[in-house]
Amino acid sequence: MSGHIIRAEGFYLSPPHLPPDAWDLVPPALRAVRWYEEKQQRRLPVEDGILLGEQLYAQINHSRWVAMCTCGSAQIVTPTDPRMWCVECGTGWWQVVFPPDVDAVEQALVELPVAERNWWATADPEFPTLAAETE
């Protein structure tokens, strides 16, 4: 999709066998779990909203807001519901940190080709750097 940055609520849509508005009342972070359950045809044991003590940083990767779990899995996230339940390891609800001005970050990228729409928070320990590593 060109012209905008993809968020969870625009990606994790209800399956075709349900009405298009079936997930409208499901929080976007939980939609990711429901979407995965539909694709895998199994339920995941998701606990109610208890957040883990650690945080994950949101980043934009190829025009999608994503967060990377410590297990190496990732999923599309959104600033309107800054949480993530990892569907791979099930560690719990992570708090996802977004930049203070999400709209400005998105606006700075929308004119770029999709493959070049990338952004990382400089506070993220995974922030890519060109500095040579020393031992």
Side-chain angles (χ1 to χ4, degrees):
M1 297 180 179
S2 62
H4 70 282
I5 306 300
I6 298 166
R7 297 178 177 192
E9 59 269 32
F11 183 82
Y12 299 113
L13 304 174
S14 60
H17 64 86
L18 295 175
D21 63 350
W23 288 359
D24 283 358
L25 298 178
V26 177
L30 189 55
R31 286 185 202 178
V33 175
R34 298 295 173 244
W35 186 87
Y36 181 85
E37 289 175 334
E38 277 288 325
K39 298 296 181 189
Q40 297 300 317
Q41 291 297 294
R42 66 183 180 100
R43 298 295 282 173
L44 296 176
V46 178
E47 299 171 18
D48 289 336
I50 301 168
L51 292 173
L52 298 171
E54 298 179 52
Q55 299 176 330
L56 302 175
Y57 285 86
Q59 64 185 32
I60 296 177
N61 174 267
H62 293 243
S63 197
R64 304 164 298 181
W65 279 109
V66 296
M68 299 281 297
C69 181
T70 56
C71 77
S73 182
Q75 66 191 53
I76 298 174
V77 294
T78 180
T80 62
D81 186 1
R83 305 174 296 150
M84 184 183 99
W85 177 275
C86 182
V87 297
E88 293 295 326
C89 70
T91 54
W93 285 107
W94 294 94
Q95 179 180 350
V96 180
V97 178
F98 283 84
D101 193 346
V102 169
D103 293 334
V105 170
E106 290 181 351
Q107 192 58 41
L109 300 175
V110 295
E111 297 301 322
L112 297 172
V114 170
E116 294 178 20
R117 293 182 197 164
N118 301 300
W119 175 90
W120 290 266
T122 55
D124 186 344
E126 300 297 321
F127 180 74
T129 180
L130 297 177
E133 293 185 27
T134 59
E135 294 185 23

